[in-house]
Amino acid sequence: MHQIASTTHIEGHFESSAAVRDVVIGLSDGLTVPFALAAGLSGAVSSAHIIVLAGLAEIAAGSIAMGLGGYLAARGDAEHYASELAREQEEVVTRPDDEAEEIYEIFSQYQVPRDAAAPVLAALQANHPAYVDFMMRFELGLEKPAPNRAHRSALTIAASYIAGGLVPLLPYMLVHPPPTCNGCTDVVNTSFVPSTAAALNLSVLITLFALAFFGAIKGRLLGTGALRSALQTTVIGGAAAAAAYSLARLLNAHT
């Protein structure tokens, strides 16, 4: 008698889309806004030190603002869920017939007839918590927020913004300051980047590379394809950075 080998099916779905969304928000803004600021200042000042200080100040302020926005958004989602949960818990008790009809309507969307849905309805009605959870998911489309979601969202967005913002500033940090004394011709220039103009060009390249790299990782995690996601992220992020840079240069030209 032959034995049939059984294999365990392992689900490969990615379940941290909320965290990925926070990273996308933080990194995309972190890569574009400080880049535009540094690029705009490159046409107005020649000191890389000033550009770096301004960029770091913007990263600090931007990360706090973005993190706070993420916190408030997540808190709002949690409060909305709690409000709808309380309403649904009351309705399954005070309006059982209406809720039962809503169950039938949900199953009808999947071509499940009433007689086939009736046993499921009876089982849900016998389990009040499951009944409420089913209605929250399939009637209202709401998932229960994870514990401490607001704090994690704030920290993730802020950290991603900082990480993204340091990328376009890195070339400006490598610009060697000119000698401050007279006759310092023997000073060896150990800089990797000779000027702010060269730093700008390098900043453009590494920002585009960072967008492509980040997009590829996002595509692998979400299963949308690394190449497609890399191209999409680079085009969209590059267009946003170019628009912000053009606006900064336009403002500098009129001041």
Side-chain angles (χ1 to χ4, degrees):
M1 184 165 115
H2 298 286
Q3 290 183 341
I4 300 175
S6 62
T7 58
T8 302
H9 174 64
I10 301 176
E11 293 286 348
H13 302 294
F14 187 74
E15 299 180 353
S16 299
S17 58
V20 173
R21 180 191 63 187
D22 291 340
V23 173
V24 169
I25 292 173
L27 265 179
S28 59
D29 280 16
L31 285 168
T32 55
V33 178
F35 166 79
L37 174 65
L41 287 176
S42 297
V45 298
S46 59
S47 173
H49 181 68
I50 295 177
I51 295 175
V52 171
L53 288 181
L56 292 177
E58 195 287 324
I59 291 174
S63 63
I64 294 173
M66 294 289 293
L68 179 60
Y71 175 82
L72 294 176
R75 279 293 301 271
D77 291 341
E79 292 172 356
H80 175 63
Y81 182 89
S83 174
E84 293 296 328
L85 178 63
R87 184 179 66 84
E88 200 63 43
Q89 287 173 336
E90 178 184 359
E91 288 183 350
V92 297
V93 175
T94 59
R95 301 171 58 183
D97 294 338
D98 292 337
E99 294 297 298
E101 284 300 320
E102 290 175 352
I103 290 287
Y104 287 129
E105 290 177 3
I106 291 172
F107 278 106
S108 68
Q109 298 175 6
Y110 300 93
Q111 289 78 47
V112 178
R114 291 176 70 93
D115 56 344
V120 179
L121 173 60
L124 288 173
Q125 289 174 331
N127 187 343
H128 183 80
Y131 193 6
V132 173
D133 183 66
F134 184 90
M135 298 302 289
M136 292 292 291
R137 290 172 180 264
F138 293 96
E139 180 195 5
L140 303 178
L142 297 176
E143 294 284 344
K144 183 178 180 180
N148 298 321
R149 164 68 184 147
H151 295 87
R152 288 204 301 269
S153 178
L155 291 176
T156 302
I157 293 176
S160 300
Y161 190 95
I162 293 172
L166 290 175
V167 170
L169 284 184
L170 181 61
Y172 298 94
M173 297 178 182
L174 301 177
V175 175
H176 193 280
T180 55
C181 59
N182 294 326
C184 295
T185 56
D186 58 338
V187 176
V188 178
N189 190 340
T190 59
S191 65
F192 294 99
V193 183
S195 65
T196 56
L200 173 59
N201 294 332
L202 184 57
S203 180
V204 171
L205 293 177
I206 66 172
T207 299
L208 291 176
F209 175 79
L211 286 169
F213 181 74
F214 164 64
I217 293 178
K218 183 184 69 172
R220 288 290 299 272
L221 290 176
L222 299 181
T224 57
L227 181 59
R228 175 184 176 184
S229 181
L231 290 174
Q232 184 182 51
T233 304
T234 303
V235 171
I236 295 176
Y245 166 69
S246 299
L247 179 61
R249 291 299 298 269
L250 181 63
L251 293 176
N252 282 335
H254 290 80
T255 56

